[in-house]
Amino acid sequence: MNWISNYVRPKIQALVQKSDVPENLWVPCGNCGKMVFHRDLERNAQVCPHCEHHMKLDVISRLESLFDDGKYKTINMPEVEADPLKFKDKKKYPERLKDARSKTKRDDVIVAGLGKIGGRKAVVAAFDFKFMGGSMGMAVGEAIVKAAETAVVQNAAFIVVPASGGARMQEGILSLMQMSRTTIGVDMVKEAGLPYIVILTDPTTGGVSASFAMLGDIQIAEPGSLVCFAGARVIEETIREKLPEGFQRAEYLLDHGMVDMVVHRKDIPSTIGKILDHLMN
Amino acid sequence: MRLFLDFEKPIAELESRIEDLRRLDGNKTDNGLNISEEVSRLQKKADKLLKETYKKLSPWQKVQVARHPDRPHFEDIEKYLLEDFMPLAGDRGFAEDHAIVGGLAKFRGTSVMVISHEKGRETEERLKHNFGMARPEGYRKAQRLMDMADRFKLPVLSFVDTPGAYPGVGAEQRGQAEAIARSIEKCLSIKVPFISTIVGEGGSGGAIALAASNVVLMLEHSVYSVISPEGCASILWRSSDYAKQAAEALKMTSEDLLELKVIDEIITEPVGGAHRDKAKTLQDLGNVIEKSLKSLVNYDGQQLKSHRREKFLKMGRDFN
Ligand SMILES: [Zn+2]
């Protein structure tokens, strides 16, 4: 293993990204509207100190926040066919990919790492929503399969943190096939007798929610996150039904029996630690 | 009365002229033209036009054919492919979902479990079957039936024809995403032969929920896609007017999917589409299903499951 590329690089990337933010930046909270100093947000894992609204957490901070001492080894992801359909809408798909890659400095949506949580081995695969809305194409499918295989080989728990608008339309039928391919991945973990835990974050929808993201042994959701199959707009347009309050939010899912618990971001690592203590004894 | 699609208008005109002439019942017309000669001349012209039109259907035209109201539905599958179909109802939790029909039947002498979408034909029927858009209960019933097939070692035959899973408040409330996810998981875990056929529309998650199988077949003019062309157009082109372009870009036809190695075989349709000769289409489909079942006869349960896994894991890895 190359220690420099596997371990240090993500940290450096995170530092570079953080220093891109101007010193005096204040961010308005999407929920209460109050201005929050960005350093306070960083310290608070992007949770508003006034109203506890959970803003989006970047994928590297996510991995660091989950693993003991923020330490993990990045799992290298397999390369995939870039544009299997030669897809073009208003823009060519390779151009969209190029834009997303230069914006995020990442090859695709998922970053996965191997480390310890509460002293127990775990693989975490987390989504970068900024990369084409966290959409699932070949790369996401292969990343879930690879991360799951790593968990099996390492005898580690498997934890996925989705944040995704659903399938990546530009990969057409192959994006749909990732629903079955990712399911195979998580079933390999289950068959190995290892825990599979999902941390649902805002938003988790479409083909992602309708496959591996709903198949966890334990389903945790962050407060307020939108988790659904069909989006509110689609439902309203299709059937003109009025949507209930809090519809498709984490707390609504808890009430309707779809998740085990809604957990504040700061308590998620210790919660997972406790779960693994029970399930991996 | 035959229903014609928009792009079939020239054919429809010829065929209605033929009908008119036939009604004159063999009499000579005023100008002395022999009617039966004229009928056969027009018939030849119509046949040729139909053949030419269907030889080069565009993806968008195929979408129209796949959605044709007279497309073979489950009632036709039952009539031409199955004997003694015994429907089994309900998910045991909430309701019976008529968008997915399932039950026990004989297929060419063998007992099988059948799971199929049903869109319904007349207005009342369509409402009952919810236009083939299943709610969570439909996918949960499918899981129950797959479990039963697994327990009694019955091959599973699934038939897919859906615009997609139903997007409604109740469906979301009762866990549409989870129901689809578990159905896919069940498809991949059963230890019996599993053959699925895309008969009409293979709409997204609602389709793969019944089609993560050992052998995936498609009728020639059916379509299978991650999103409807209209939905794709309204997101990527910001207007559903671009559905035609989206249908092309999505590569949703059987030929495209065979090339992408997502499906295993195409069942050729009669000239003019499956609805013009359902008996023939479904006999041909039956032959391919029978052949596919035979190809799996030497696999034991574990091997059938592994076969399915390997098939899906390989997808997209071998383009070069
Ligand atoms: Zn706030």
Side-chain angles (χ1 to χ4, degrees):
Chain A
M1 280 269 167
N2 182 335
W3 189 84
I4 303 276
S5 73
N6 288 325
Y7 175 52
V8 173
R9 233 180 78 223
K11 285 254 181 189
I12 293 172
Q13 266 181 5
L15 284 175
V16 171
Q17 277 176 351
K18 278 170 193 166
S19 67
D20 283 347
V21 182
E23 267 311 304
N24 59 351
L25 194 76
W26 290 72
V27 185
C29 168
N31 183 50
C32 69
K34 286 188 182 146
M35 299 302 283
V36 191
F37 188 50
H38 75 95
R39 290 260 181 255
D40 291 339
L41 265 183
E42 258 170 41
R43 258 194 297 277
N44 216 19
Q46 304 293 317
V47 176
C48 172
H50 305 290
C51 72
E52 302 296 322
H53 172 59
H54 285 51
M55 302 184 197
K56 287 193 175 61
L57 184 62
D58 78 84
V59 63
I60 298 301
S61 306
R62 172 70 66 181
L63 290 176
E64 288 175 355
S65 80
L66 287 173
F67 285 112
D68 295 351
D69 307 321
K71 279 189 199 164
Y72 62 93
K73 272 188 200 162
T74 303
I75 298 166
N76 292 317
M77 289 305 165
E79 254 190 71
V80 298
E81 180 80 21
D83 182 18
L85 267 52
K86 307 275 172 279
F87 194 97
K88 181 171 178 275
D89 49 271
K90 282 177 157 174
K91 215 175 186 179
K92 282 183 179 163
Y93 177 40
E95 282 170 36
R96 286 189 194 271
L97 271 178
K98 214 173 118 193
D99 291 351
R101 282 173 182 162
S102 73
K103 192 176 104 184
T104 60
K105 310 277 181 284
R106 237 180 281 297
D107 282 344
D108 211 278
V109 169
I110 287 189
V111 182
L114 169 67
K116 286 188 170 180
I117 302 179
R120 291 179 198 278
K121 262 195 192 176
V123 167
V124 177
F127 280 58
D128 183 356
F129 189 75
K130 289 198 292 287
F131 195 106
M132 296 185 76
S135 57
M136 175 163 72
M138 278 295 297
V140 164
E142 288 292 56
I144 294 288
V145 170
K146 176 75 189 287
E149 285 169 348
T150 307
V152 172
V153 170
Q154 295 287 336
N155 208 27
F158 187 35
I159 292 147
V160 176
V161 192
S164 173
R168 189 172 298 170
M169 277 173 286
Q170 291 87 349
E171 294 187 22
I173 193 76
L174 288 164
S175 67
L176 186 69
M177 292 303 120
Q178 303 317 311
M179 291 174 72
S180 31
R181 300 178 83 250
T182 53
T183 300
I184 292 168
V186 304
D187 279 350
M188 293 191 296
V189 173
K190 292 179 182 179
E191 281 172 17
L194 297 162
Y196 170 47
I197 300 170
V198 180
I199 304 168
L200 297 162
T201 71
D202 188 55
T204 301
T205 70
V208 168
S209 67
S211 59
F212 64 91
M214 275 294 165
L215 294 173
D217 292 307
I218 292 188
Q219 298 279 126
I220 299 172
E222 283 196 342
S225 40
L226 176 77
V227 181
C228 63
F229 175 65
R233 206 174 50 108
V234 175
I235 298 174
E236 280 171 335
E237 277 172 11
T238 322
I239 51 182
R240 302 177 202 292
E241 279 183 51
K242 192 158 162 41
L243 303 179
E245 202 176 311
F247 186 55
Q248 301 179 325
R249 296 286 162 185
E251 297 73 12
Y252 182 91
L253 266 81
L254 183 66
D255 280 347
H256 287 86
M258 289 301 144
V259 297
D260 291 282
M261 53 188 106
V262 176
V263 181
H264 192 289
R265 191 172 285 160
K266 70 173 161 37
D267 298 324
I268 289 179
S270 61
T271 306
I272 290 181
K274 280 181 206 162
I275 293 168
L276 299 190
D277 183 52
H278 286 301
L279 301 183
M280 297 181 87
N281 255 324
Chain B
M1 235 330 251
R2 172 162 284 147
L3 267 161
F4 288 94
L5 299 166
D6 273 355
F7 67 86
E8 295 176 317
K9 266 205 183 110
I11 301 159
E13 276 161 22
L14 280 173
E15 292 201 359
S16 91
R17 265 172 66 199
I18 293 166
E19 283 293 305
D20 291 347
L21 285 173
R22 280 203 173 121
R23 238 172 269 136
L24 294 174
D25 208 21
N27 297 321
K28 296 245 176 193
T29 51
D30 300 347
N31 57 15
L33 195 71
N34 185 307
I35 286 178
S36 67
E37 272 175 28
E38 178 66 0
V39 163
S40 85
R41 191 184 70 82
L42 287 176
Q43 191 63 60
K44 258 186 210 147
K45 202 172 159 190
D47 290 349
K48 194 172 163 227
L49 193 55
L50 188 71
K51 205 168 161 184
E52 277 167 4
T53 307
Y54 270 77
K55 210 159 63 188
K56 47 174 177 43
L57 287 182
S58 72
W60 180 238
Q61 287 170 332
K62 287 201 180 223
V63 172
Q64 311 309 310
V65 178
R67 291 174 181 168
H68 197 291
D70 291 336
R71 193 85 184 153
H73 281 191
F74 180 70
E75 60 175 17
D76 307 302
I77 289 165
E78 185 190 345
K79 183 172 165 193
Y80 294 110
L81 279 189
L82 307 174
E83 287 148 52
D84 294 331
F85 174 65
M86 179 190 286
L88 299 172
D91 72 333
R92 300 297 183 270
F94 184 77
E96 158 67 350
D97 186 341
H98 297 282
I100 293 177
V101 180
L104 296 162
K106 291 267 184 198
F107 167 72
R108 300 192 176 176
T110 308
S111 286
V112 293
M113 183 65 81
V114 181
I115 303 172
S116 174
H117 288 105
E118 175 58 64
K119 288 180 170 177
R121 254 190 252 283
E122 305 309 323
T123 309
E124 205 175 304
E125 257 200 331
R126 282 165 172 250
L127 289 172
K128 176 184 165 192
H129 294 286
N130 201 31
F131 307 87
M133 294 184 286
R135 297 179 168 90
E137 298 74 50
Y139 301 109
R140 291 185 179 129
K141 175 171 71 181
Q143 292 163 48
R144 184 172 76 81
L145 299 186
M146 284 190 265
D147 265 332
M148 196 191 302
D150 202 17
R151 203 159 104 71
F152 295 97
K153 301 286 163 253
L154 301 175
V156 177
L157 306 184
S158 74
F159 301 94
V160 172
D161 185 16
T162 180
Y166 187 60
V169 172
E172 290 289 317
Q173 223 165 42
R174 300 191 298 278
Q176 186 70 291
E178 194 262 1
I180 293 170
R182 295 260 178 236
S183 191
I184 295 171
E185 192 174 40
K186 187 60 71 187
C187 286
L188 292 164
S189 74
I190 55 177
K191 293 178 174 172
V192 291
F194 184 1
I195 317 287
S196 53
T197 308
I198 317 296
V199 179
E201 273 184 286
S204 194
I208 186 78
L210 302 186
S213 57
N214 292 102
V215 179
V216 183
L217 308 171
M218 261 178 105
L219 294 194
E220 185 182 359
H221 303 312
S222 64
V223 291
Y224 189 12
S225 174
V226 67
I227 186 169
S228 71
E230 292 91 336
C232 178
S234 73
I235 296 170
L236 292 181
W237 279 266
R238 309 236 170 255
S239 157
S240 54
D241 298 344
Y242 289 85
K244 196 170 161 250
Q245 284 84 341
E248 276 160 30
L250 282 167
K251 302 268 195 304
M252 58 200 297
T253 70
S254 60
E255 290 91 340
D256 286 328
L257 299 194
L258 189 66
E259 197 173 323
L260 289 167
K261 298 180 188 171
V262 166
I263 62 159
D264 297 284
E265 195 165 340
I266 298 171
I267 289 85
T268 309
E269 293 185 28
V271 175
H275 54 280
R276 282 187 178 243
D277 194 346
K278 292 179 193 178
K280 168 87 168 61
T281 306
L282 294 173
Q283 283 308 320
D284 290 350
L285 171 60
N287 294 342
V288 179
I289 291 177
E290 194 180 338
K291 183 187 80 180
S292 305
L293 283 173
K294 274 196 189 127
S295 76
L296 297 170
V297 85
N298 289 325
Y299 288 72
D300 68 22
Q302 188 55 45
Q303 286 170 328
L304 286 165
K305 182 179 161 178
S306 305
H307 173 270
R308 223 172 288 134
R309 274 193 176 176
E310 280 157 26
K311 171 195 171 71
F312 279 89
L313 285 181
K314 220 171 71 185
M315 264 176 212
R317 281 180 180 168
D318 53 353
F319 282 132
N320 309 316

